[in-house]
Amino acid sequence: MSGKPKLTYFNGRGRMESVRWLLAAAGVEFEEVFLETREQYLKLIQDGDLLFDQVPLVDIDGMKMVQTRAILSYIAGKHNLYGKDLKERALYIDTYVEGTMDLMQMILTLPFSLPEAKEKNLPLIIEKAKNRYFPAYEKVLKQHCQGFLVGNQLSWADVHLLEAILMVEEKDPTVLSEFPLLQGFKTRISNMPTIKKFLQPGSQRKPQPDDKYVATVMKILKEAMYYSI
Amino acid sequence: MSVKAKLHYFNGRGRMETIRWLLAVAGVEFEEYFFETREELIKLQQSGVLLFQQVPLVEIDGMNMVQTRAILNYIAAKHNLYGKHLKERALIDMYVEATMDLNDLVMCHPMQPPEGREKNLALIVDKATNRYFPAYEKVLKDHGQDYLVGNQFSRADVQVPETILMMEEMKPDILAKFPLLQGFKARISNNPTIKKFLQPGSQRKSEIEEKMIPQVMKIF
């Protein structure tokens, strides 16, 4: 046993991408097992590996962890990315990551919606990013003035926000044009060594989903996306 | 005893209900401000206290907290309902995240068009009976303890019963195949603060009435 966390998921972003980001930011090497067939997935269920028959699954420290937030909280807690006290954790980090999670969730479900819905939803997502989420984080950076969202060191919230910014920028490259502090934040956090490494080609970061990815996921899960991912 | 928290939401379960449960169990008294119109929500949004323009909002310990999970995490940690260490917390998180998935399905159910409701109900019952409840039944069976995690009362022992009760409203015999969950539910329901919360007249909210749905949708 290598001792490295082992991630089981489809070969694409989905709900696992935030886990990859956080492990990478923490400088933790990890292995990946990609689900390619329904048989593999059913075997995982039969073997009792999936507590609620769902992936992401992360084998870490002797636990078979499921549920994305549980996994992320554990990694953040273990690797000193969760603030220094309860207030930093709950009032700030938890609150901020819930916002970025809501935003990224909209983007991650987009490829699985019907074409008409996709066309309608993308502008709505950009609008929410520009009018609800990014203004909130811009304000936090302005008031907090430390370069990080919380305290004076990198936390889960910073990693998650960077991930969200890059994801939205893939859809609209101008989205940060009215947010100078977020632009600075993006540059600064991207240049932190572990994150810079993760942003290089050849890292375990996954590309945007394509039709092949969507088809694979739907074939493996064979049910309505909302209920199963 | 002075009120320790103030909740801002509409007069119904929604995303605030789990927070009410946890506060009640933790013995934290709270006041509630209910929106009845969209204008009231807009006023709150304009006041700047809602970080993402959304409710729930809970004023607690000098903070204006938003985002349901952040609020629940805070209450649980502060009141020793989050396990003894990181790994117990991880298990608790896994269990409560699943209840929140199921609660979301239940919460969105009244918004389904009438033609889709029966199918949606069947789907929810199927998930509860074939995905979620078997998992909790197995957890109880494997460790043989009274509580879900670490042999002590935690938020998982509040959130799982909350979900069970909601599911029983949809299908009264839903625990028929889960003897350990039946015992668990009975035991937890007798916990003094929970027993009190389950009495009529508590701040627990009932299922949303059909006629209220248009009004609630107008607010949000």
Side-chain angles (χ1 to χ4, degrees), chain A residues 52-102:
Chain A
F52 301 112
D53 295 350
Q54 294 166 315
V55 285
L57 166 68
V58 175
D59 240 296
I60 184 169
D61 298 339
M63 300 183 288
K64 290 196 187 297
M65 287 202 72
V66 296
Q67 292 292 343
T68 315
R69 282 174 177 86
I71 296 164
L72 291 168
S73 295
Y74 179 75
I75 296 166
K78 186 182 173 195
H79 294 284
N80 196 27
L81 291 165
Y82 220 161
K84 61 177 196 297
D85 56 34
L86 179 55
K87 190 171 176 178
E88 280 195 355
R89 199 169 76 202
L91 181 60
Y92 300 126
I93 296 173
D94 278 343
T95 309
Y96 300 160
V97 303
E98 284 299 307
T100 40
M101 226 175 272
D102 281 349

CSV table of all heavy atoms in Angstrom, one decimal, chain A residues 52-102:
chain,number,residue,atom,x,y,z
A,52,PHE,N,-23.1,5.1,-0.1
A,52,PHE,CA,-24.4,5.5,-0.6
A,52,PHE,C,-24.5,5.2,-2.1
A,52,PHE,O,-25.2,5.9,-2.8
A,52,PHE,CB,-24.7,6.9,-0.3
A,52,PHE,CG,-24.7,7.3,1.2
A,52,PHE,CD1,-23.7,8.1,1.7
A,52,PHE,CD2,-25.7,6.8,2.0
A,52,PHE,CE1,-23.7,8.4,3.0
A,52,PHE,CE2,-25.6,7.1,3.4
A,52,PHE,CZ,-24.6,7.9,3.9
A,53,ASP,N,-23.7,4.2,-2.6
A,53,ASP,CA,-23.7,3.8,-4.0
A,53,ASP,C,-23.3,5.0,-4.9
A,53,ASP,O,-23.7,5.0,-6.1
A,53,ASP,CB,-25.1,3.3,-4.4
A,53,ASP,CG,-25.5,2.1,-3.7
A,53,ASP,OD1,-24.6,1.5,-3.0
A,53,ASP,OD2,-26.6,1.6,-3.8
A,54,GLN,N,-22.5,5.9,-4.4
A,54,GLN,CA,-22.1,7.1,-5.2
A,54,GLN,C,-20.6,7.3,-5.2
A,54,GLN,O,-20.0,7.0,-4.2
A,54,GLN,CB,-22.8,8.3,-4.7
A,54,GLN,CG,-24.3,8.4,-4.8
A,54,GLN,CD,-24.9,9.5,-4.0
A,54,GLN,OE1,-24.5,9.7,-2.8
A,54,GLN,NE2,-25.8,10.2,-4.5
A,55,VAL,N,-20.2,7.9,-6.3
A,55,VAL,CA,-18.8,8.4,-6.3
A,55,VAL,C,-19.0,10.0,-6.3
A,55,VAL,O,-20.1,10.4,-6.6
A,55,VAL,CB,-18.0,8.0,-7.5
A,55,VAL,CG1,-17.6,6.5,-7.4
A,55,VAL,CG2,-18.8,8.2,-8.8
A,56,PRO,N,-18.0,10.7,-5.9
A,56,PRO,CA,-16.6,10.4,-5.6
A,56,PRO,C,-16.4,9.4,-4.4
A,56,PRO,O,-17.2,9.4,-3.5
A,56,PRO,CB,-16.0,11.8,-5.1
A,56,PRO,CG,-16.9,12.8,-5.7
A,56,PRO,CD,-18.2,12.2,-5.8
A,57,LEU,N,-15.3,8.7,-4.5
A,57,LEU,CA,-14.8,7.8,-3.5
A,57,LEU,C,-13.4,8.2,-3.3
A,57,LEU,O,-12.6,8.2,-4.3
A,57,LEU,CB,-15.0,6.3,-3.9
A,57,LEU,CG,-14.2,5.3,-3.0
A,57,LEU,CD1,-14.8,5.2,-1.6
A,57,LEU,CD2,-14.2,3.9,-3.7
A,58,VAL,N,-13.0,8.4,-2.1
A,58,VAL,CA,-11.6,8.7,-1.8
A,58,VAL,C,-11.1,7.7,-0.6
A,58,VAL,O,-11.7,7.8,0.5
A,58,VAL,CB,-11.3,10.1,-1.4
A,58,VAL,CG1,-9.8,10.3,-1.0
A,58,VAL,CG2,-11.6,11.1,-2.6
A,59,ASP,N,-10.2,6.9,-1.0
A,59,ASP,CA,-9.6,6.0,0.0
A,59,ASP,C,-8.5,6.8,0.7
A,59,ASP,O,-7.4,7.0,0.0
A,59,ASP,CB,-8.9,4.8,-0.8
A,59,ASP,CG,-9.5,3.5,-0.5
A,59,ASP,OD1,-9.3,3.1,0.7
A,59,ASP,OD2,-10.1,2.9,-1.4
A,60,ILE,N,-8.6,7.1,1.9
A,60,ILE,CA,-7.6,8.0,2.6
A,60,ILE,C,-7.5,7.6,4.0
A,60,ILE,O,-8.6,7.5,4.7
A,60,ILE,CB,-8.0,9.5,2.3
A,60,ILE,CG1,-6.9,10.4,2.9
A,60,ILE,CG2,-9.4,9.8,2.9
A,60,ILE,CD1,-7.1,11.8,2.5
A,61,ASP,N,-6.3,7.4,4.5
A,61,ASP,CA,-6.1,7.1,5.9
A,61,ASP,C,-7.0,6.0,6.5
A,61,ASP,O,-7.5,6.1,7.6
A,61,ASP,CB,-6.3,8.4,6.7
A,61,ASP,CG,-5.3,9.5,6.3
A,61,ASP,OD1,-4.3,9.2,5.8
A,61,ASP,OD2,-5.6,10.7,6.6
A,62,GLY,N,-7.1,5.0,5.7
A,62,GLY,CA,-7.9,3.8,6.1
A,62,GLY,C,-9.4,4.0,6.0
A,62,GLY,O,-10.1,3.1,6.4
A,63,MET,N,-9.8,5.1,5.5
A,63,MET,CA,-11.3,5.3,5.4
A,63,MET,C,-11.7,5.3,3.9
A,63,MET,O,-10.9,5.8,3.1
A,63,MET,CB,-11.7,6.6,6.0
A,63,MET,CG,-11.4,6.8,7.4
A,63,MET,SD,-12.0,8.4,8.0
A,63,MET,CE,-10.9,9.6,7.2
A,64,LYS,N,-12.8,4.7,3.6
A,64,LYS,CA,-13.4,4.8,2.2
A,64,LYS,C,-14.4,6.0,2.3
A,64,LYS,O,-15.5,5.8,2.6
A,64,LYS,CB,-14.0,3.5,1.8
A,64,LYS,CG,-13.0,2.4,1.6
A,64,LYS,CD,-13.6,1.3,0.8
A,64,LYS,CE,-12.7,0.1,0.7
A,64,LYS,NZ,-11.4,0.4,0.0
A,65,MET,N,-13.9,7.2,2.0
A,65,MET,CA,-14.7,8.4,2.1
A,65,MET,C,-15.6,8.6,0.9
A,65,MET,O,-15.1,8.6,-0.2
A,65,MET,CB,-13.9,9.6,2.5
A,65,MET,CG,-13.3,9.5,3.9
A,65,MET,SD,-12.9,11.2,4.5
A,65,MET,CE,-14.5,11.9,4.7
A,66,VAL,N,-16.8,9.0,1.1
A,66,VAL,CA,-17.7,9.4,0.1
A,66,VAL,C,-18.3,10.7,0.6
A,66,VAL,O,-18.1,11.2,1.7
A,66,VAL,CB,-18.8,8.4,-0.2
A,66,VAL,CG1,-18.2,7.1,-0.8
A,66,VAL,CG2,-19.7,8.1,1.0
A,67,GLN,N,-19.1,11.4,-0.3
A,67,GLN,CA,-19.7,12.7,-0.1
A,67,GLN,C,-18.6,13.8,-0.2
A,67,GLN,O,-17.7,13.9,0.7
A,67,GLN,CB,-20.4,12.8,1.3
A,67,GLN,CG,-21.6,11.9,1.3
A,67,GLN,CD,-22.8,12.4,0.5
A,67,GLN,OE1,-22.8,13.6,0.0
A,67,GLN,NE2,-23.7,11.6,0.2
A,68,THR,N,-18.7,14.5,-1.2
A,68,THR,CA,-17.6,15.5,-1.6
A,68,THR,C,-17.3,16.4,-0.4
A,68,THR,O,-16.1,16.6,-0.1
A,68,THR,CB,-18.1,16.3,-2.8
A,68,THR,OG1,-18.6,15.5,-3.8
A,68,THR,CG2,-16.9,17.1,-3.4
A,69,ARG,N,-18.2,17.0,0.2
A,69,ARG,CA,-17.9,18.0,1.3
A,69,ARG,C,-17.2,17.3,2.4
A,69,ARG,O,-16.3,17.9,3.1
A,69,ARG,CB,-19.2,18.7,1.8
A,69,ARG,CG,-19.7,19.8,0.9
A,69,ARG,CD,-21.0,20.3,1.4
A,69,ARG,NE,-21.5,21.4,0.6
A,69,ARG,CZ,-22.3,21.2,-0.5
A,69,ARG,NH1,-22.5,20.0,-0.9
A,69,ARG,NH2,-22.7,22.3,-1.1
A,70,ALA,N,-17.6,16.1,2.8
A,70,ALA,CA,-17.0,15.4,3.9
A,70,ALA,C,-15.5,15.2,3.5
A,70,ALA,O,-14.6,15.4,4.4
A,70,ALA,CB,-17.7,14.0,4.1
A,71,ILE,N,-15.3,14.8,2.3
A,71,ILE,CA,-13.9,14.5,1.8
A,71,ILE,C,-13.1,15.8,1.9
A,71,ILE,O,-12.0,15.9,2.4
A,71,ILE,CB,-13.9,14.0,0.4
A,71,ILE,CG1,-14.6,12.6,0.3
A,71,ILE,CG2,-12.5,13.9,-0.2
A,71,ILE,CD1,-15.0,12.2,-1.1
A,72,LEU,N,-13.6,16.9,1.3
A,72,LEU,CA,-12.9,18.2,1.3
A,72,LEU,C,-12.6,18.7,2.7
A,72,LEU,O,-11.5,19.2,3.0
A,72,LEU,CB,-13.7,19.2,0.5
A,72,LEU,CG,-13.8,19.0,-1.0
A,72,LEU,CD1,-14.8,19.9,-1.6
A,72,LEU,CD2,-12.4,19.2,-1.7
A,73,SER,N,-13.7,18.6,3.6
A,73,SER,CA,-13.5,19.1,5.0
A,73,SER,C,-12.4,18.3,5.7
A,73,SER,O,-11.6,18.8,6.4
A,73,SER,CB,-14.7,18.9,5.8
A,73,SER,OG,-15.8,19.7,5.4
A,74,TYR,N,-12.3,17.0,5.4
A,74,TYR,CA,-11.3,16.1,6.1
A,74,TYR,C,-9.9,16.6,5.6
A,74,TYR,O,-9.0,16.8,6.4
A,74,TYR,CB,-11.5,14.7,5.8
A,74,TYR,CG,-10.5,13.8,6.4
A,74,TYR,CD1,-10.5,13.5,7.7
A,74,TYR,CD2,-9.5,13.2,5.6
A,74,TYR,CE1,-9.5,12.7,8.3
A,74,TYR,CE2,-8.5,12.4,6.2
A,74,TYR,CZ,-8.5,12.2,7.6
A,74,TYR,OH,-7.5,11.4,8.1
A,75,ILE,N,-9.7,16.7,4.3
A,75,ILE,CA,-8.4,17.1,3.7
A,75,ILE,C,-8.0,18.5,4.3
A,75,ILE,O,-6.9,18.7,4.7
A,75,ILE,CB,-8.5,17.1,2.2
A,75,ILE,CG1,-8.7,15.7,1.7
A,75,ILE,CG2,-7.2,17.7,1.6
A,75,ILE,CD1,-9.1,15.7,0.2
A,76,ALA,N,-9.0,19.4,4.3
A,76,ALA,CA,-8.7,20.8,4.7
A,76,ALA,C,-8.3,20.7,6.2
A,76,ALA,O,-7.3,21.4,6.6
A,76,ALA,CB,-9.9,21.7,4.6
A,77,GLY,N,-9.0,20.0,7.0
A,77,GLY,CA,-8.7,19.9,8.4
A,77,GLY,C,-7.3,19.2,8.7
A,77,GLY,O,-6.5,19.7,9.5
A,78,LYS,N,-7.0,18.2,7.9
A,78,LYS,CA,-5.8,17.5,8.1
A,78,LYS,C,-4.6,18.3,7.7
A,78,LYS,O,-3.5,18.2,8.3
A,78,LYS,CB,-5.9,16.2,7.3
A,78,LYS,CG,-4.7,15.3,7.5
A,78,LYS,CD,-4.7,14.0,6.7
A,78,LYS,CE,-3.4,13.3,6.9
A,78,LYS,NZ,-3.2,12.2,5.9
A,79,HIS,N,-4.7,19.1,6.6
A,79,HIS,CA,-3.6,19.8,6.1
A,79,HIS,C,-3.6,21.3,6.4
A,79,HIS,O,-3.0,22.1,5.6
A,79,HIS,CB,-3.5,19.5,4.6
A,79,HIS,CG,-3.3,18.1,4.3
A,79,HIS,ND1,-2.0,17.5,4.4
A,79,HIS,CD2,-4.1,17.1,3.9
A,79,HIS,CE1,-2.1,16.2,4.1
A,79,HIS,NE2,-3.3,15.9,3.8
A,80,ASN,N,-4.2,21.7,7.5
A,80,ASN,CA,-4.0,23.0,7.9
A,80,ASN,C,-4.5,24.1,6.9
A,80,ASN,O,-4.0,25.1,6.8
A,80,ASN,CB,-2.5,23.3,8.3
A,80,ASN,CG,-2.4,24.5,9.1
A,80,ASN,OD1,-3.3,24.9,9.9
A,80,ASN,ND2,-1.2,25.2,9.0
A,81,LEU,N,-5.6,23.7,6.3
A,81,LEU,CA,-6.2,24.6,5.3
A,81,LEU,C,-7.6,25.0,5.8
A,81,LEU,O,-8.5,25.5,5.0
A,81,LEU,CB,-6.3,23.9,3.9
A,81,LEU,CG,-5.0,23.7,3.2
A,81,LEU,CD1,-5.2,22.7,2.1
A,81,LEU,CD2,-4.4,25.0,2.7
A,82,TYR,N,-7.9,24.9,7.1
A,82,TYR,CA,-9.2,25.1,7.6
A,82,TYR,C,-9.3,26.2,8.6
A,82,TYR,O,-10.2,26.2,9.5
A,82,TYR,CB,-9.8,23.8,8.1
A,82,TYR,CG,-11.3,23.5,7.8
A,82,TYR,CD1,-11.8,22.3,7.9
A,82,TYR,CD2,-12.1,24.6,7.5
A,82,TYR,CE1,-13.1,22.0,7.6
A,82,TYR,CE2,-13.5,24.3,7.2
A,82,TYR,CZ,-14.0,23.0,7.3
A,82,TYR,OH,-15.3,22.8,7.0
A,83,GLY,N,-8.4,27.1,8.6
A,83,GLY,CA,-8.4,28.2,9.6
A,83,GLY,C,-7.9,27.8,10.9
A,83,GLY,O,-7.6,26.7,11.2
A,84,LYS,N,-7.7,28.8,11.8
A,84,LYS,CA,-7.1,28.5,13.1
A,84,LYS,C,-8.1,28.3,14.2
A,84,LYS,O,-7.7,27.9,15.3
A,84,LYS,CB,-6.1,29.6,13.4
A,84,LYS,CG,-6.7,31.0,13.6
A,84,LYS,CD,-5.6,32.0,14.0
A,84,LYS,CE,-6.2,33.3,14.6
A,84,LYS,NZ,-7.0,34.1,13.6
A,85,ASP,N,-9.3,28.7,14.0
A,85,ASP,CA,-10.3,28.5,15.0
A,85,ASP,C,-11.7,28.3,14.4
A,85,ASP,O,-11.9,28.4,13.2
A,85,ASP,CB,-10.3,29.6,16.0
A,85,ASP,CG,-10.5,31.0,15.4
A,85,ASP,OD1,-11.3,31.0,14.4
A,85,ASP,OD2,-9.9,32.0,15.8
A,86,LEU,N,-12.7,28.1,15.3
A,86,LEU,CA,-14.0,27.8,14.9
A,86,LEU,C,-14.6,28.9,14.0
A,86,LEU,O,-15.3,28.7,13.0
A,86,LEU,CB,-14.9,27.5,16.1
A,86,LEU,CG,-16.4,27.2,15.8
A,86,LEU,CD1,-16.6,26.1,14.8
A,86,LEU,CD2,-17.1,26.9,17.1
A,87,LYS,N,-14.3,30.1,14.5
A,87,LYS,CA,-14.9,31.3,13.7
A,87,LYS,C,-14.4,31.4,12.3
A,87,LYS,O,-15.1,31.5,11.4
A,87,LYS,CB,-14.6,32.6,14.5
A,87,LYS,CG,-15.3,33.8,14.0
A,87,LYS,CD,-15.1,35.0,14.9
A,87,LYS,CE,-15.8,36.2,14.3
A,87,LYS,NZ,-15.7,37.4,15.1
A,88,GLU,N,-13.0,31.2,12.2
A,88,GLU,CA,-12.5,31.3,10.8
A,88,GLU,C,-13.1,30.1,10.0
A,88,GLU,O,-13.4,30.3,8.8
A,88,GLU,CB,-10.9,31.1,10.9
A,88,GLU,CG,-10.3,32.4,11.2
A,88,GLU,CD,-8.8,32.4,11.0
A,88,GLU,OE1,-8.2,31.4,10.6
A,88,GLU,OE2,-8.2,33.5,11.1
A,89,ARG,N,-13.2,29.0,10.6
A,89,ARG,CA,-13.7,27.8,9.9
A,89,ARG,C,-15.2,28.0,9.4
A,89,ARG,O,-15.5,27.9,8.3
A,89,ARG,CB,-13.6,26.6,10.8
A,89,ARG,CG,-13.7,25.3,9.9
A,89,ARG,CD,-13.3,24.1,10.8
A,89,ARG,NE,-14.4,23.8,11.7
A,89,ARG,CZ,-14.2,23.1,12.8
A,89,ARG,NH1,-13.0,22.7,13.2
A,89,ARG,NH2,-15.2,22.8,13.6
A,90,ALA,N,-16.0,28.4,10.4
A,90,ALA,CA,-17.5,28.4,10.1
A,90,ALA,C,-17.9,29.7,9.4
A,90,ALA,O,-18.5,29.7,8.4
A,90,ALA,CB,-18.2,28.1,11.3
A,91,LEU,N,-17.6,30.8,10.1
A,91,LEU,CA,-18.1,32.1,9.6
A,91,LEU,C,-17.5,32.5,8.3
A,91,LEU,O,-18.1,33.1,7.4
A,91,LEU,CB,-17.8,33.2,10.6
A,91,LEU,CG,-18.2,34.6,10.3
A,91,LEU,CD1,-19.8,34.6,10.1
A,91,LEU,CD2,-17.8,35.6,11.3
A,92,TYR,N,-16.2,32.1,8.1
A,92,TYR,CA,-15.5,32.5,6.9
A,92,TYR,C,-15.4,31.3,5.9
A,92,TYR,O,-16.1,31.3,4.9
A,92,TYR,CB,-14.2,33.1,7.2
A,92,TYR,CG,-14.3,34.3,8.0
A,92,TYR,CD1,-13.6,34.4,9.2
A,92,TYR,CD2,-15.2,35.4,7.7
A,92,TYR,CE1,-13.7,35.5,10.1
A,92,TYR,CE2,-15.3,36.5,8.5
A,92,TYR,CZ,-14.6,36.6,9.7
A,92,TYR,OH,-14.7,37.7,10.5
A,93,ILE,N,-14.5,30.3,6.2
A,93,ILE,CA,-14.2,29.3,5.2
A,93,ILE,C,-15.4,28.5,4.7
A,93,ILE,O,-15.7,28.4,3.6
A,93,ILE,CB,-13.1,28.4,5.7
A,93,ILE,CG1,-11.8,29.2,5.9
A,93,ILE,CG2,-12.8,27.3,4.7
A,93,ILE,CD1,-10.7,28.5,6.6
A,94,ASP,N,-16.2,28.0,5.7
A,94,ASP,CA,-17.3,27.2,5.3
A,94,ASP,C,-18.3,28.0,4.5
A,94,ASP,O,-18.9,27.6,3.5
A,94,ASP,CB,-18.1,26.7,6.5
A,94,ASP,CG,-17.4,25.4,7.1
A,94,ASP,OD1,-16.7,24.7,6.4
A,94,ASP,OD2,-17.7,25.1,8.3
A,95,THR,N,-18.5,29.3,4.9
A,95,THR,CA,-19.5,30.1,4.2
A,95,THR,C,-19.0,30.4,2.8
A,95,THR,O,-19.7,30.3,1.8
A,95,THR,CB,-19.6,31.5,4.9
A,95,THR,OG1,-19.9,31.2,6.3
A,95,THR,CG2,-20.8,32.3,4.4
A,96,TYR,N,-17.7,30.7,2.6
A,96,TYR,CA,-17.2,31.1,1.3
A,96,TYR,C,-17.2,29.9,0.4
A,96,TYR,O,-17.6,30.0,-0.8
A,96,TYR,CB,-15.7,31.6,1.4
A,96,TYR,CG,-15.6,32.9,2.2
A,96,TYR,CD1,-14.4,33.3,2.8
A,96,TYR,CD2,-16.7,33.7,2.5
A,96,TYR,CE1,-14.2,34.4,3.5
A,96,TYR,CE2,-16.6,34.9,3.3
A,96,TYR,CZ,-15.4,35.2,3.8
A,96,TYR,OH,-15.2,36.3,4.5
A,97,VAL,N,-16.8,28.7,0.9
A,97,VAL,CA,-16.8,27.5,0.0
A,97,VAL,C,-18.2,27.1,-0.4
A,97,VAL,O,-18.4,26.5,-1.5
A,97,VAL,CB,-15.9,26.3,0.5
A,97,VAL,CG1,-14.5,26.7,0.8
A,97,VAL,CG2,-16.6,25.6,1.7
A,98,GLU,N,-19.1,27.3,0.4
A,98,GLU,CA,-20.5,27.0,0.0
A,98,GLU,C,-20.9,27.8,-1.1
A,98,GLU,O,-21.6,27.4,-2.1
A,98,GLU,CB,-21.5,27.2,1.2
A,98,GLU,CG,-21.4,26.1,2.3
A,98,GLU,CD,-21.8,24.7,1.7
A,98,GLU,OE1,-22.8,24.6,1.1
A,98,GLU,OE2,-20.9,23.8,1.9
A,99,GLY,N,-20.5,29.1,-1.2
A,99,GLY,CA,-20.8,30.0,-2.3
A,99,GLY,C,-20.1,29.5,-3.6
A,99,GLY,O,-20.8,29.3,-4.6
A,100,THR,N,-18.9,29.2,-3.5
A,100,THR,CA,-18.2,28.7,-4.7
A,100,THR,C,-18.7,27.4,-5.1
A,100,THR,O,-18.7,27.1,-6.3
A,100,THR,CB,-16.6,28.7,-4.5
A,100,THR,OG1,-16.3,28.2,-3.2
A,100,THR,CG2,-16.0,30.1,-4.6
A,101,MET,N,-19.1,26.6,-4.2
A,101,MET,CA,-19.6,25.3,-4.5
A,101,MET,C,-21.0,25.4,-5.3
A,101,MET,O,-21.2,24.7,-6.2
A,101,MET,CB,-19.9,24.4,-3.3
A,101,MET,CG,-19.3,23.1,-3.4
A,101,MET,SD,-19.4,22.0,-2.0
A,101,MET,CE,-17.9,22.4,-1.2
A,102,ASP,N,-21.8,26.3,-4.8
A,102,ASP,CA,-23.1,26.6,-5.5
A,102,ASP,C,-22.8,27.0,-6.9
A,102,ASP,O,-23.4,26.5,-7.9
A,102,ASP,CB,-23.9,27.7,-4.8
A,102,ASP,CG,-24.6,27.2,-3.6
A,102,ASP,OD1,-24.7,26.0,-3.4
A,102,ASP,OD2,-25.1,28.0,-2.8
